[in-house]
Amino acid sequence: MTTDKKKKQSRPGWDEYFINIAKAVSARATCLRRKYGAVITKDKIIVSTGYNGAPSGMKDCLEAGKCTRKELQIPHGERYELCHSVHAEANAIIRASADELSGATIYIAGEDNGLGECLSEPCMMCKRIILNARIKKVVYSDGNGKYHIISPARWLKKRV
């Protein structure tokens, strides 16, 4: 028989719970390089999810069987304007209302195709979108089974 204390220890905290859901959402991604998932919550309720993939109606990289950035050997984190995908964070944000986003938390998790979990810090473009959405907390996987928790207000101290 388990005690109440043991039950509480085996139950994940809210951040771990939602980051794991973001990992599950990333399975829908259509990128050949990396798969990302994002979950937006407010008051511990999921208000939106998103994954990286081509805009609605456009052929995605899985369907096309190629990645322009990969073909051009562009390193991760560079030249996103050549990417055909909308990032997971942006997809989650555009599917939520301004009221749902203000004061919300976004969870971001990713996987390097075939290599396992990867660092999932938002790119510069997504940082600006997160700031404009007035999201107050960002939780992203560190690529090693843990996660970082930050306030987007920190990004205001330097130009993003």
Side-chain angles (χ1 to χ4, degrees), residues 35-106:
K35 296 179 178 294
Y36 289 98
V39 173
I40 297 174
T41 68
K42 190 161 184 181
D43 301 324
K44 298 179 181 141
I45 297 169
I46 295 172
V47 297
S48 182
T49 66
Y51 53 86
N52 56 320
S56 297
M58 181 185 280
K59 187 181 266 193
D60 63 52
C61 295
L62 290 177
E63 291 174 308
K66 67 178 190 164
C67 169
T68 302
R69 291 179 66 240
K70 190 173 185 177
E71 286 177 349
L72 296 173
Q73 298 179 350
I74 297 169
H76 176 72
E78 296 178 18
R79 304 290 315 269
Y80 284 125
E81 75 276 7
L82 298 175
C83 180
H84 296 282
S85 288
V86 177
H87 288 189
E89 302 94 320
N91 271 323
I93 288 168
I94 63 174
R95 287 176 174 78
S97 72
D99 287 340
E100 290 170 322
L101 294 169
S102 183
T105 299
I106 187 166

Side-chain angles (χ1 to χ4, degrees), residues 14-55:
W14 288 107
D15 289 333
E16 182 181 357
Y17 173 68
F18 289 124
I19 202 83
N20 285 331
I21 293 172
K23 289 176 187 177
V25 171
S26 74
R28 290 280 308 150
T30 60
C31 179
L32 293 170
R33 294 178 98 179
R34 291 191 171 184
K35 296 179 178 294
Y36 289 98
V39 173
I40 297 174
T41 68
K42 190 161 184 181
D43 301 324
K44 298 179 181 141
I45 297 169
I46 295 172
V47 297
S48 182
T49 66
Y51 53 86
N52 56 320

Side-chain angles (χ1 to χ4, degrees), residues 101-157:
L101 294 169
S102 183
T105 299
I106 187 166
Y107 296 86
I108 309 154
E111 163 184 312
D112 199 344
N113 288 341
L115 299 176
E117 188 177 339
C118 64
L119 178 65
S120 302
E121 181 178 5
C123 73
M124 294 304 227
M125 290 185 303
C126 288
K127 285 179 178 180
R128 291 189 295 263
I129 294 169
I130 289 166
L131 283 166
N132 260 9
R134 296 191 169 100
I135 290 172
K136 74 170 182 179
K137 179 178 164 185
V138 177
V139 181
Y140 63 91
S141 60
D142 71 353
N144 295 308
K146 295 189 167 92
Y147 49 86
H148 298 283
I149 302 171
I150 63 162
S151 167
R154 287 181 42 193
W155 299 331
L156 295 172
K157 292 180 181 173

